[in-house]
Amino acid sequence: MKKILVAVMALVALCACNSGEKKDLSYRGLSMGLPFQTFIDSLAARGFAIDSAKTDSAFQMVVMGSDAVRYRLVIAQKDGQVAALQENWNLHSNDSTRKLWQQMRDEFEKELGAWPNMPKHGDDHKVAKFEGEGGFITLTLENTYRPTLAVRYDRK
């Protein structure tokens, strides 16, 4: 009887885990399914500050930065939810952006368990698009005049 009860409990737990809930995209361990203000407050607790000069007055797009990292965040909201987030990296050499792009691409492959769609793949311009359960991640490298690297997270 005890074994049957344990088996039933395991089946109930399995069904609860696979209830068809939509899994949200995660940004560095922080769920993008959080309400917009909670998401902003969580980033502020991690040391990011709002750049009021670049944030729009309606608070539909917020720009945040931190002295501890080499990128700025642009976060867009729709109906009180995070719609998209973009990291804009500030690096000084083409070699450093190429190396960081490759490291990030490898990490996303491992994390998402999928190969990216590569619409552009040259030395100076690379784009890798990943699709996860909760959205899309686009990794863009442009090394023309000034090296730029951007990582964009879009929720489904």
Side-chain angles (χ1 to χ4, degrees):
M1 184 70 177
K2 199 176 199 181
K3 289 181 180 178
I4 293 173
L5 182 61
V6 170
V8 169
M9 294 294 280
L11 184 60
V12 168
L14 183 63
C15 290
C17 291
N18 294 329
S19 63
E21 290 182 24
K22 180 182 166 190
K23 183 178 177 186
D24 282 309
L25 198 58
S26 176
Y27 171 71
R28 298 186 184 260
L30 187 60
S31 173
M32 290 180 67
L34 293 171
F36 183 73
Q37 191 57 50
T38 305
F39 190 82
I40 296 296
D41 292 343
S42 297
L43 287 172
R46 292 182 178 192
F48 284 89
I50 295 175
D51 184 346
S52 58
K54 294 184 179 174
T55 298
D56 68 353
S57 60
F59 222 60
Q60 295 297 310
M61 184 187 72
V62 176
V63 178
M64 299 183 83
S66 172
D67 292 335
V69 295
R70 296 183 298 174
Y71 58 86
R72 298 186 69 71
L73 295 174
V74 180
I75 308 152
Q77 73 164 322
K78 182 178 181 182
D79 300 328
Q81 295 290 318
V82 177
L85 179 145
Q86 183 168 320
E87 291 178 349
N88 295 316
W89 286 79
N90 183 15
L91 299 167
H92 300 292
S93 73
N94 289 345
D95 291 337
S96 62
T97 55
R98 285 184 187 116
K99 183 178 178 183
L100 184 59
W101 186 90
Q102 189 62 50
Q103 289 172 347
M104 292 175 121
R105 180 185 180 271
D106 294 344
E107 288 172 13
F108 285 133
E109 273 184 24
K110 185 189 257 184
E111 180 182 326
L112 299 172
W115 288 87
N117 177 15
M118 299 279 297
K120 293 216 178 239
H121 189 47
D123 284 340
D124 289 332
H125 190 173
K126 299 179 186 184
V127 177
K129 294 183 177 188
F130 295 89
E131 182 176 358
E133 289 182 39
F136 302 94
I137 300 172
T138 306
L139 186 60
T140 306
L141 169 72
E142 292 180 357
N143 279 334
T144 50
Y145 300 107
R146 192 179 93 201
T148 59
L149 177 65
V151 183
R152 183 176 170 99
Y153 296 76
D154 288 294
R155 289 182 60 208
K156 283 185 181 176

